[in-house]
Amino acid sequence: MPQLVVSEECWPIAGAFTISRGSKTQADVVTISLAAGSHIGRGECVPYPRYGETVSQVIAALTDARGRIEAGLARSDIPALIAPMAARNALDCALWDLEAKLTGQPVWTLAGLPKPTPVVTAYTLSLDTPEAMGAAAAAAAHRPLLKLKLGREGDADRLTSVRRNAPSCRLIVDANEGWSADGLPGMLALCADTGVEMVEQPLPAGRDEALREMMRPVAVCADESAHGLSTLDDLAGKYDAINIKLDKTGGLTPAVALARAARARNFRIMVGCMLATSLAMAPAMLLTPWADVVDLDGPLLLAADRAPPIRYDGSLMHPPPRDLWG
């Protein structure tokens, strides 16, 4: 039976990472290892305070479930055993990884998914002054797809500055719930005028009903409003796309189910991530065959990544090495 090890890790960010809700200088993650003989399956998650989850809470949930996990646990048992979605994610991914190690087959084969191939990921520009974001855009103008963190007063100037300094880049915008319903039509119009392809979560989750009656010249993507299958009904008519993150769905297994259901309902799909290492990106990459937009740049924003890392050639993300995960 597998032996469980739960660890807290802190990974410094290259500089600071700022969104509408605040700034941070390190990524706080929880990793788990499931050892069966010489084989070890691993998973990583990011407890997110926005969703009421903390590192200590996730560690406690996994530790409390140790006996059941080490007795032998199926992935289908996880939702009834553990509440925090981040904890479910780490455990689900570790179980997939362990099965891959034990069987000698990659996770994508075991799960009946397409073999992952290199994909272009968005590269995120942290929220800052218009001048600073313009300078960051100029430095990243060689990348094909930039994601702008917005959501505060002065966003029109920020967007204009970025577009001026990166005229050839594809752009997506993430307001992180920071805009108002009154100002949204004007911001969407400006996004359309500046060639923005998608806007993530412009209004607060639970206060986004205005989207249902609003003309949307740019595709609007649910992030904080989109979690598991149970959220799809409410999103229909308000959003054109959903951002699927494993820490919100509770692992790769439910994320695959959500991607299939979302496609069947004609939602566009973004595959996203929290700020974390390559170990968290690896399972998310298996969702990219469904994705219209890939946003798995977490390791690019860190001062250092774990080894062995996923290889990024600029913004081209390669499939994870088997020694990392899967």
Side-chain angles (χ1 to χ4, degrees):
M1 292 300 173
Q3 300 297 305
L4 172 69
V5 176
V6 182
S7 304
E8 176 184 355
E9 298 177 355
C10 298
W11 293 84
I13 295 169
F17 186 74
T18 303
I19 67 172
S20 62
R21 287 189 287 270
S23 300
K24 60 182 180 179
T25 57
Q26 65 183 32
D28 299 311
V29 308
V30 174
T31 61
I32 71 172
S33 297
L34 293 174
S38 62
H39 300 287
I40 299 176
R42 298 190 300 162
E44 176 180 318
C45 69
V46 180
Y48 201 42
R50 169 63 182 81
Y51 305 129
E53 297 184 1
T54 64
V55 168
S56 59
Q57 179 193 43
V58 166
I59 290 175
L62 290 165
T63 302
D64 289 347
R66 178 185 300 277
R68 182 67 182 87
I69 293 169
E70 293 186 340
L73 186 76
R75 287 184 292 273
S76 59
D77 297 329
I78 294 174
L81 181 67
I82 297 176
M85 289 296 184
R88 294 184 191 181
N89 175 33
L91 182 54
D92 181 81
C93 292
L95 286 169
W96 275 116
D97 190 33
L98 181 59
E99 183 178 350
K101 300 295 194 300
L102 290 169
T103 62
Q105 298 186 71
V107 171
W108 58 267
T109 297
L110 296 171
L113 301 175
K115 182 179 180 179
T117 59
V119 294
V120 171
T121 179
Y123 179 79
T124 303
L125 302 184
S126 185
L127 180 62
D128 209 323
T129 65
E131 295 76 17
M133 291 190 73
H142 62 286
R143 296 182 182 273
L145 177 60
L146 299 181
K147 174 174 173 174
L148 286 59
K149 287 292 189 178
L150 301 179
R152 291 183 182 171
E153 188 70 27
D155 279 346
D157 292 336
R158 292 183 179 94
L159 177 54
T160 301
S161 179
V162 167
R163 174 49 83 198
R164 182 172 60 250
N165 284 277
S168 300
C169 294
R170 297 168 55 209
L171 299 181
I172 55 178
V173 160
D174 187 0
N176 283 116
E177 306 179 279
W179 291 349
S180 68
D182 289 343
L184 183 55
M187 285 305 302
L188 290 179
L190 178 60
C191 286
D193 289 344
T194 51
V196 171
E197 298 180 9
M198 183 179 288
V199 174
E200 280 186 76
Q201 200 67 43
L203 302 179
R207 288 185 283 155
D208 53 4
E209 197 61 28
L211 288 169
R212 198 177 299 280
E213 306 300 328
M214 191 176 294
M215 292 291 293
R216 300 191 293 272
V218 176
V220 176
C221 179
D223 184 359
E224 285 87 348
S225 292
H227 295 268
L229 287 169
S230 63
T231 62
L232 279 183
D233 285 344
D234 184 61
L235 301 179
K238 293 191 293 187
Y239 292 95
D240 309 291
I242 65 169
N243 188 342
I244 301 178
K245 297 177 180 175
L246 272 60
D247 281 312
K248 294 190 302 176
T249 64
L252 176 62
T253 304
V256 168
L258 178 58
R260 288 176 168 146
R263 269 297 184 217
R265 299 187 65 162
N266 296 316
F267 283 102
R268 296 174 66 186
I269 292 175
M270 174 186 287
V271 174
C273 66
M274 305 301 186
L275 193 48
T277 78
S278 283
L279 181 57
M281 305 302 119
M285 196 174 184
L286 297 190
L287 300 175
T288 59
W290 285 287
D292 299 282
V293 175
V294 175
D295 181 25
L296 297 177
D297 64 341
L300 296 177
L301 306 176
L302 299 177
D305 195 5
R306 71 173 71 246
I310 289 175
R311 179 163 64 93
Y312 290 83
D313 291 328
S315 293
L316 186 66
M317 178 185 188
H318 292 266
R322 293 289 300 277
D323 287 347
L324 172 68
W325 185 89

